[in-house]
Amino acid sequence: MYHPHADEMTQMAMGMMGFWVTHPKTKHPWIQEVDRDFCFLLNAYDIDPGAYTPKIMTMLDFNLWTWNSRLFPGISPLCVRHNDKVRIRIGNLTMTNHPIHLHGHEFEVTGTDGGPTPIASRWPEVTTDIAVGQMRQIEFLANEEGDWAFHCHKSHHTMNAMGHDVPTLIGVDHRGITKKVQGLVPDYMAMGERGMADMAEMKMPLPENTLPMMTGDGPFGSVEMGGMFSVLKVRKNQKRGDYSDPGWYSHPERTIAFEYTGSAAPKPLTSNKAGEAMMSSSNLPQETIELKVKKPQGHLSH
């Protein structure tokens, strides 16, 4: 991973970074052949909505989490053929760690900053945590057709331009105050009564150079994502070497969830017993027992 060590805070806050891949001259016993090879950097920026210049003094409270300086839904999908061997290199040049998670497949970590990992040291995973300044190379067999989410597993890293100083309003009925505020601000909209997903349904004007916090339209409605999120698309009819987007997956008949409209299921027998003591009262002590704790003094030979 390339990044400057001269005026580093400024240079990296402005996006001065890149990926460096060196291929061995001869075949390496721990480096296997792959059909698809992807590579991206994890970046973070602090840019106020409507602004264009990143804040170069921000240490932790970034509001834009990106792959190759792009946000979902602006991140391209990872498009592969069914049964392709896939390699993804991920470098982290942000100021925090990122647990990168893949749906639908299991992968192995086959390389780090120090080079390829010995084959005997690998194990199947669905999430790998990438610390600050680290690179992880993962490989897997794309043997499950479909559209599979691929993202950082920190919830706020799959959101765009979010504010941090917002009170929790879940369950608050603010219809009355909304009407009053609209008398002063006609376009005022209350948010957060039912959670953050409401924002994905709202169509409101945005400042320049920003995106909704949760967005993206999928085959079943809003994807409600942003930031460090993309989709692995596995298709049998994807041509070799073709990285173009095949569109959303056509699910086979009777493989999509639907609303059940039959008779109600019987109530679980234990539904009204939640929270009871594990033992019956006859097995519990009859008298109140007072416990005394003596705090040890000194090291006691430790």
Side-chain angles (χ1 to χ4, degrees):
M1 295 180 292
Y2 166 77
H3 59 98
H5 279 297
D7 198 8
E8 184 173 288
M9 283 288 294
T10 301
Q11 297 285 4
M12 293 184 67
M14 295 287 189
M16 185 68 170
M17 60 192 77
F19 223 115
W20 183 297
V21 179
T22 302
H23 297 278
K25 290 183 178 180
T26 59
K27 185 173 178 59
H28 194 289
W30 298 344
I31 301 178
Q32 301 174 343
E33 296 291 329
V34 295
D35 302 294
R36 304 273 170 156
D37 200 334
F38 300 92
C39 182
F40 59 87
L41 279 176
L42 309 177
N43 335 95
Y45 301 95
D46 185 11
I47 306 175
D48 287 335
Y52 288 81
T53 304
K55 296 180 180 180
I56 63 172
M57 299 305 293
T58 299
M59 302 292 181
L60 294 176
D61 292 332
F62 300 97
N63 65 351
L64 297 172
W65 302 93
T66 68
W67 290 356
N68 285 345
S69 297
R70 295 183 68 87
L71 302 156
F72 180 82
I75 299 174
S76 299
L78 287 72
C79 305
V80 307
R81 281 165 53 94
H82 183 248
N83 286 328
D84 269 354
K85 183 68 178 293
V86 181
R87 174 185 293 141
I88 306 175
R89 299 182 181 93
I90 310 158
N92 180 11
L93 287 178
T94 72
M95 294 297 104
T96 188
N97 65 306
H98 297 277
I100 300 298
H101 177 62
L102 175 63
H103 290 225
H105 296 81
E106 297 78 40
F107 60 75
E108 292 180 344
V109 175
T110 61
T112 70
D113 312 71
T117 58
I119 295 176
S121 70
R122 304 171 186 175
W123 66 87
E125 264 294 0
V126 296
T127 303
T128 185
D129 195 36
I130 307 176
V132 178
Q134 284 187 338
M135 188 282 296
R136 290 293 179 264
Q137 174 181 286
I138 65 174
E139 294 179 14
F140 60 93
L141 183 67
N143 56 1
E144 295 289 345
E145 264 202 300
D147 297 328
W148 305 104
F150 183 48
H151 58 94
C152 176
H153 227 306
K154 289 186 175 181
S155 298
H156 63 295
H157 291 186
T158 54
M159 298 179 184
N160 297 324
M162 64 283 191
H164 298 158
D165 301 322
V166 180
T168 299
L169 297 175
I170 293 176
V172 176
D173 185 355
H174 37 57
R175 285 174 293 185
I177 190 66
T178 298
K179 186 175 181 180
K180 292 180 180 179
V181 174
Q182 285 178 343
L184 300 173
V185 185
D187 295 327
Y188 174 79
M189 299 174 68
M191 295 177 286
E193 182 178 335
R194 296 174 297 171
M196 294 184 182
D198 286 355
M199 298 194 68
E201 303 170 4
M202 294 179 178
K203 306 297 182 184
M204 65 179 75
L206 293 172
E208 291 184 1
N209 199 40
T210 193
L211 286 169
M213 186 177 77
M214 305 169 75
T215 183
D217 294 325
F220 305 108
S222 176
V223 179
E224 298 177 9
M225 286 291 170
M228 294 179 166
F229 181 92
S230 188
V231 178
L232 171 72
K233 296 190 174 185
V234 183
R235 302 289 189 274
K236 288 183 178 178
N237 58 356
Q238 191 84 358
K239 295 180 180 179
R240 188 176 301 277
D242 181 10
Y243 286 79
S244 62
D245 187 349
W248 294 107
Y249 181 61
S250 297
H251 295 81
E253 189 177 359
R254 302 185 68 82
T255 62
I256 299 177
F258 59 91
E259 182 181 1
Y260 176 70
T261 57
S263 58
K267 198 172 185 179
L269 297 178
T270 59
S271 63
N272 295 325
K273 298 181 179 180
E276 289 189 354
M278 182 177 67
M279 297 186 295
S280 63
S281 59
S282 60
N283 292 331
L284 293 173
Q286 298 300 313
E287 299 179 358
T288 301
I289 299 176
E290 181 179 353
L291 296 179
K292 296 182 179 180
V293 179
K294 185 178 180 180
K295 185 177 180 180
Q297 301 294 323
H299 295 289
L300 297 179
S301 302
H302 290 288

